[in-house]
Amino acid sequence: MELKELLKYYTSHPSVVGLREKIAQSGAVHISLKGLTGSSSAVVLAAAYTITPFSTVVVLNDREDAAYFFDDLTAMGLEEKILFFPSSYRRSIVHERIESENIIFRTEVLNKLALNETGYLVITYPEAIMEKVISGSGLEKHTLHIKKGEKLSISFINEVLYEYGFERVEFVYEPGQYSLRGSIIDIFSYSNEDPYRIDFFGDEVESIRTFDIEDQISKDILTRISIIPNIQEGLQEEKRVSVFEFLDQKTVILARSFTFVSGQIKQLHQEAVERLNKPEMNSLVISAKEFLSGTSAFTCIEFGAALHADPDKHIIFNTSKQPVFNKNFDLLGQNLKLNRQKGYRNILLTSSPKQIERLHAIFDDKGDPQKLDCLLFAVNEGFIDHDLKICCYTDHQIFERYHRFKLRSRKSSRQAITIKELSKLHPGDFVVHIDHGVGKFAGLVKTEVNGKTQEAIRLIYRDNDSLLVSIHSLHRIAKYKGKEGQEPSINKLGTAAWQNLKTKTKNKVKDIARELIALYAKRKMENGFAFSADSYLQEELEASFIYEDTPDQLKATCSIKEDMEKPMPMDRLVCGDVGFGKTEVA
């Protein structure tokens, strides 16, 4: 079974078809969706959107609820159209800690809305929707649009970025920064999670592309971009308005309960004024009354139990929650059989093929094989649709495991020196080049390559010899790490000393390897206890852990089991930081 087959069930569902027809009508209407449980609300929205795309803002009860709904719609294949609109603050407007990544998400949404893009799906929550934003005219006033092929002078862009409050640096690694290198301008706008690289040919924009801040490799080629400054902490003189002023009149507003959302806004507003002792918060956030007034101009849909007002239209669904099995697989097996007898189709939703194998292995060992249609994507909560006669069960609810939502993140796990680390190096710091050895960082210099001026890293070696390294060869450089307080010996360029040291080191490693091979060969001759392969009891024990294995945990577990099933002694060390699951693996 595939995702499109599941969506096909719902795109022909009479209630979904009726919902889409009601949305298509002109004028603001209030619609109530009754009987939706679990993640069926996300599936219904995805199906209605699949029939004909429409612009939507979904206001969930809190950030976690919004993140799970976002994750569900992403799993439904809508990742290209879905946007997350968070609060500017890390935790709460009351705590006043602004998160730069959240500002990027908010700016990206406002920019797309200002460009009148249709068919967007914005997921948000009360803390985010209550924050006022810069007005549309203010945003346009402080937005620099750049298109491929247009005439623009580099000096003009430099002046505009200075006025916008961008910081000029050698290399960009954070929003609000830009750098100039000959005919190339790198700009990290707040409207995109990756920085832009603009290449000029004279005064003409020759190419625009995004690139990775860690390795400088290009990612996407673009024809037009918008450069936007920090609209949250900067531009304080600009008028602030409700985000509803950015929405097209045909936009649909969804919420579990508009009464609950307005109540949350009212409570958060009072807390902000009282705890922060800032009456001027009234000019920075909307009130509950303003929220309800703003939504009244749009088609509003409620899909929770409590209704804000009498709806113009009730649309009924007949769903129930996924049963609770408490990891009782006999009970699960009986339930699956009963479903089939009643003519229901059993569907397992999981993002892990391992869980599918585990579940089949448990039933096979019990001598009770089950027929399950499996889909390789996960939603937050399973459900049963009695109209369509399908049971969508999630593996994490069956195994009582914690289900993590996934939001985009700019964090990187690269081990090589990064642009951000490079910017923090000071002249005199020790670095290691893989081909030339230990030298000292001497800053950044401009050099001409094939008639074009480029930035390069200067390294100083013994006898004051210098080496220029292109920024595109950053992967060959690493910051020197040795004993604290002990300076390394600097290598001499043009000699074989560094290569000889690497050769000696490799030979020593080979000697150690030979000793280890001899030791392991001797151990392999000894007899140990060969454990049996996993039984269903082992599968149930592993299923009892509430967290899914990470790829590294799964790899370690499989390797340990392979060793334990061999007729020779196991010699293995499990390494990991505190709290990373060593005990569970062991």
Side-chain angles (χ1 to χ4, degrees), residues 164-196:
Y164 283 0
F166 278 71
E167 177 190 8
R168 183 170 178 178
V169 294
E170 296 291 349
F171 297 99
V172 302
Y173 58 86
E174 287 183 346
Q177 296 178 335
Y178 77 102
S179 69
L180 294 174
R181 295 192 303 279
S183 63
I184 296 175
I185 302 181
D186 290 345
I187 308 173
F188 208 146
S189 169
Y190 278 90
S191 60
N192 197 61
E193 59 184 321
D194 288 312
Y196 299 118

Side-chain angles (χ1 to χ4, degrees), residues 515-529 531 556 559-575:
E515 292 176 12
L516 288 174
I517 290 170
L519 178 62
Y520 287 136
K522 182 180 178 181
R523 284 178 176 171
K524 281 194 174 184
M525 299 299 292
E526 298 176 6
N527 291 323
F529 182 84
F531 288 84
S559 298
I560 291 171
K561 286 179 180 179
E562 287 175 8
D563 284 355
M564 292 177 70
E565 292 170 16
K566 293 175 182 176
M568 61 191 71
M570 179 173 71
D571 182 18
R572 185 173 289 277
L573 176 67
V574 179
C575 299

Side-chain angles (χ1 to χ4, degrees), residues 452-469:
K452 285 191 174 184
T453 302
Q454 293 187 7
E455 293 275 0
I457 303 160
R458 183 188 293 278
L459 302 181
I460 301 297
Y461 286 85
R462 189 182 296 175
D463 299 333
N464 212 32
D465 291 339
S466 65
L467 175 72
L468 297 181
V469 182

Side-chain angles (χ1 to χ4, degrees), residues 32-36 302-307 311 314-319:
S32 167
L33 305 183
K34 287 287 190 180
L36 292 174
E302 290 185 276
F303 56 94
L307 298 179
H314 283 287
I315 297 178
I316 309 299
F317 292 87
N318 187 13
T319 71

Side-chain angles (χ1 to χ4, degrees), residues 306-361:
L307 298 179
H308 172 65
D310 291 332
D312 301 302
K313 175 74 173 178
H314 283 287
I315 297 178
I316 309 299
F317 292 87
N318 187 13
T319 71
S320 59
K321 292 186 176 181
Q322 175 176 332
V324 177
F325 300 108
N326 294 318
K327 286 177 285 191
N328 184 330
F329 296 100
D330 291 326
L331 183 63
L332 173 62
Q334 293 170 10
N335 178 267
L336 295 176
K337 283 182 180 178
L338 182 61
N339 290 340
R340 288 200 303 273
Q341 290 171 4
K342 289 159 56 177
Y344 284 67
R345 187 173 182 177
N346 294 316
I347 302 171
L348 178 68
L349 306 178
T350 176
S351 58
S352 171
K354 174 68 177 176
Q355 291 292 73
I356 298 173
E357 296 172 12
R358 180 175 288 161
L359 200 57
H360 281 302

